[in-house]
Amino acid sequence: MLTETSLSIWGWGSLGIVLSLITFGPFVIFYLAFYILCFVGGGFVVTLLFGKTSSEKYLEQCEHSFLPPTSTGIPKCLEEMKREARTIKIDRRLTGANIIDEPLQQVIQFSLRDYVQYWYYTLSDDESFLLEIRQTLQNALIQFATSWWCGYSSE
C-alpha cells in the first residue's frame, strides 16, 4: 500500500513538472524560486522594518499630516439641512384593493426593519433614506400590479 502511494505521488509530481516545463519553458524553476524568495524576503523586510510599534507611530503621523482641516461650511450646511422640516407624504395604496394593500405594507415594513434598518442605523439616524426605499418599493409594486392587471385583463 505504501509503495503504491509513493508511486502515485511520484507519478503525479513528475507529470506536474513535465507539464509546467512544457507550458512555461525551462526557466519555470528559476521563476518559481525567485517568486518564493521575493515573498519570503518581503515578509522578513516588512516584519523587521515596520514592527507593530513603529507602524503605529508612522500611521499616526500620516493621519495627522495628510488630512486637511475640515471646512466650517460643512457643519453649517448640515445644521441648515436639519433645521428644514420636510413634510412626508406617503401614499399607502398599492393595488387599489385594501385587503391586498395592508399585507403588502406589512411585508414592506418587516423587510425594511429586518434587512435595512439594522445596519442603516449604525450609519445614520436620518429617516429620509428609509422613506425613499419604502417609496421605491411601493412604486415597484404599483408598476407590477398595473402591468399584471393589464396583462390579465387583455387575455
Side-chain angles (χ1 to χ4, degrees):
M1 178 74 177
L2 184 61
T3 57
E4 291 175 9
T5 305
S6 64
L7 183 62
S8 174
I9 291 173
W10 281 105
W12 284 109
S14 61
L15 179 66
I17 291 171
V18 168
L19 288 177
S20 64
L21 285 173
I22 292 172
T23 304
F24 301 113
F27 295 108
V28 71
I29 297 168
F30 300 114
Y31 292 141
L32 185 63
F34 179 71
Y35 294 149
I36 292 172
L37 181 68
C38 286
F39 180 76
V40 172
F44 282 128
V45 167
V46 168
T47 304
L48 292 176
L49 291 180
F50 297 105
K52 185 178 186 294
T53 56
S54 63
S55 65
E56 286 175 353
K57 289 178 186 175
Y58 178 74
L59 287 175
E60 187 175 318
Q61 289 172 356
C62 289
E63 181 179 320
H64 295 298
S65 64
F66 293 128
L67 292 177
T70 58
S71 165
T72 58
I74 294 174
K76 287 181 182 178
C77 287
L78 289 174
E79 187 177 317
E80 186 72 28
M81 288 173 58
K82 287 180 183 177
R83 262 192 260 143
E84 293 179 7
R86 283 183 29 184
T87 58
I88 300 167
K89 297 178 184 177
I90 297 176
D91 187 12
R92 298 185 62 87
R93 294 176 294 162
L94 296 172
T95 62
N98 196 24
I99 196 166
I100 296 174
D101 288 348
E102 288 304 317
L104 283 175
Q105 286 293 340
Q106 285 182 348
V107 168
I108 291 173
Q109 178 184 355
F110 293 150
S111 298
L112 286 175
R113 182 194 68 192
D114 294 342
Y115 298 110
V116 178
Q117 286 178 354
Y118 83 94
W119 62 264
Y120 179 70
Y121 283 135
T122 61
L123 301 175
S124 174
D125 294 332
D126 189 21
E127 295 285 331
S128 63
F129 175 72
L130 298 172
L131 293 173
E132 290 293 328
I133 289 180
R134 175 182 286 275
Q135 191 64 40
T136 303
L137 285 172
Q138 288 179 349
N139 289 339
L141 285 172
I142 290 169
Q143 291 299 319
F144 177 73
T146 305
S147 66
W148 178 80
W149 181 254
C150 291
Y152 181 71
S153 63
S154 65
E155 289 179 1

